[in-house]
Amino acid sequence: MRAEDETSTGARIETGAGCENVPVRFDTKIAVLLRDDLESWQRLNVTAFLVSGLGTTSPEVIGEPYADSDGTAYLPMFRQPVLVFEGTKETLSAAHGRALSRLLPRALFTSDLFSTGNDRDNRAAVRAVGKDQLDLVGMAVYGPRNAVDKVLKGARMHP
């Protein structure tokens, strides 16, 4: 007989006979939304920067450390997949507003950050612009799956 349990990390897992091949379903979602006019290198760079912020304020998204069969230790990573979406500048702006109104943990990347070279200047570039005037090129968001889905309305999965 199968039953559904919720772990301390918010993952739903089925328990019981024959459940070892059943995927873990999370009640939360990690998503990155990229502007659709970015170059390939920019998409990769923005995604890497954006997701780096989530584990610092939402430590529950980080899983256990890894180790290979030789005992070599590796850093822990997110405990769940990161879904990457794309959308227009307008889609990104609307998603930003919805993430703010829902008070979801979020990270942002503006076009100004492509011309800075360090963390101090990155923060200063964002601080210099009001939230409604930010030239967003990417955003990461984490939260309950249905809330993140609502934030991403109008976006499509990255090809």
Side-chain angles (χ1 to χ4, degrees):
M1 168 156 234
R2 289 183 181 182
E4 195 173 270
D5 290 341
E6 185 168 322
T7 68
S8 62
T9 61
R12 292 207 180 283
I13 57 171
E14 290 191 30
T15 57
C19 292
E20 56 277 353
N21 294 324
V22 176
V24 175
R25 301 280 184 217
F26 291 95
D27 292 336
T28 58
K29 184 179 274 189
I30 300 171
V32 172
L33 176 56
L34 301 171
R35 208 163 74 191
D36 59 5
D37 62 350
L38 296 179
E39 299 290 332
S40 293
W41 73 268
Q42 292 173 317
R43 290 171 187 256
L44 294 170
N45 184 268
V46 170
T47 300
F49 268 92
L50 288 172
V51 297
S52 72
L54 292 179
T56 61
T57 59
S58 302
E60 70 275 9
V61 302
I62 305 298
E64 297 295 320
Y66 286 75
D68 60 29
S69 64
D70 297 321
T72 306
Y74 301 94
L75 295 172
M77 296 184 283
F78 288 132
R79 65 185 173 102
Q80 66 190 90
V82 175
L83 302 173
V84 182
F85 296 81
E86 70 175 5
T88 64
K89 184 176 185 172
E90 295 77 20
T91 301
L92 195 54
S93 179
H96 178 248
R98 289 190 291 266
L100 290 173
S101 71
R102 286 175 171 75
L103 304 175
L104 294 175
R106 65 218 166 259
L108 59 80
F109 198 103
T110 67
S111 63
D112 295 331
L113 303 187
F114 289 125
S115 62
T116 61
N118 60 74
D119 188 47
R120 183 189 66 232
D121 291 342
N122 286 350
R123 287 192 316 277
V126 172
R127 192 178 316 109
V129 182
K131 68 179 177 281
D132 295 331
Q133 284 75 44
L134 293 168
D135 186 14
L136 297 170
V137 298
M139 179 180 78
V141 63
Y142 168 72
R145 188 174 28 213
N146 62 345
V148 173
D149 288 342
K150 288 176 183 175
V151 165
L152 298 173
K153 183 180 177 184
R156 59 193 173 278
M157 286 293 292
H158 190 281

